[in-house]
Amino acid sequence: MNIPLLGVNIDHIATLRNARGVGYPCPIKGALICEQAGASGITLHLREDRRHIQDEDVYELIGQLTTRMNLEMAVTDEMLNIALKVRPAWVCLVPEKRQELTTEGGLDIANLSNIQAFIHSLQQADIKVSLFIDPDPHQIDAAIALGADAIELHTGAYAQATLQNNQKLVDKELDRIQKAVAMAQKKSSLLINAGHGLTRDNVAAIAQIDGIHELNIGHALISDAIFMGLDNAVKAMKMAFVQDKTTNH
Ligand code: PXP
């Protein structure tokens, strides 16, 4: 069985810090603990409204990471300029709506006219580009045509179905993701990542899909850290990847 890597999204360490407008908890410190505990990379989403990660966090973190930074961002000129200054190993392009609580759906690549030039500018600067898309054959075809380096499949609908204990829907969403991975593998050499809404309780079925390179996990892992510590939360999440599905509750 191929076990995916774990990328940790540290946004919600910053959410907690910003709730009081103080300097703690420090997302940089958190990122370094995650690396030490076995994360293969650190993801952070610089949103247009700066609700969690701030510009200074990005600039500070890039000098300290020993793994790799995956900078999530919207397809805007402002973000492109920042990425070209920071030069993370990876950029993950995501759709962004001001009112949303979190990234609610994947990119609709076909309707983003400037995306080809955007990807090209990043790749010219030696930044690899991942596209956050729904597990939809049209989006996968579009990602391949655009020459992306990776796709990240949105697991939010699957995760939501697990929270609702709707087994029929869980099976349907899992099947969509499995088919999307198989299709991307067959048609391309894209790296295939996945993430959104994954928890220790629902991650195993996704982690055990052959062909997934990395899972990006934030909210549930940072929540676990409140009760077990960040180091243990990273280790526990990695253990949950390989748990037998039938005992994963
Ligand atoms: N991947 C992407 C592209 C995301 O936008 C997010 C949420 O910021 C995640 C993964 C992590 O999702 P969660 O916080 O629900 O684990």
Side-chain angles (χ1 to χ4, degrees), residues 8 19 31 42 65 74 86 130 135 139 168-169 179 187 201:
V8 177
I42 299 295
L65 282 184
V86 174
S130 171
Q139 300 297 342
K168 221 171 145 189
L169 196 54
K179 289 197 169 116
K187 288 193 164 182
D201 288 333

Side-chain angles (χ1 to χ4, degrees), residues 181-213:
V181 173
M183 174 188 161
Q185 267 190 314
K186 194 167 161 205
K187 288 193 164 182
S188 73
S189 56
L190 282 172
L191 283 183
I192 306 164
N193 302 326
H196 209 281
L198 297 176
T199 70
R200 280 187 293 133
D201 288 333
N202 67 21
V203 76
I206 301 291
Q208 291 169 23
I209 298 173
D210 220 22
I212 295 193
H213 173 70

Side-chain angles (χ1 to χ4, degrees), residues 9 11 72 92 94 102-103 132 152 195-197 216-219:
N9 179 315
D11 292 350
E72 262 183 50
C92 179
V94 299
T102 178
T103 317
F132 190 45
E152 180 169 333
H196 209 281
N216 285 317
I217 305 181
H219 186 262

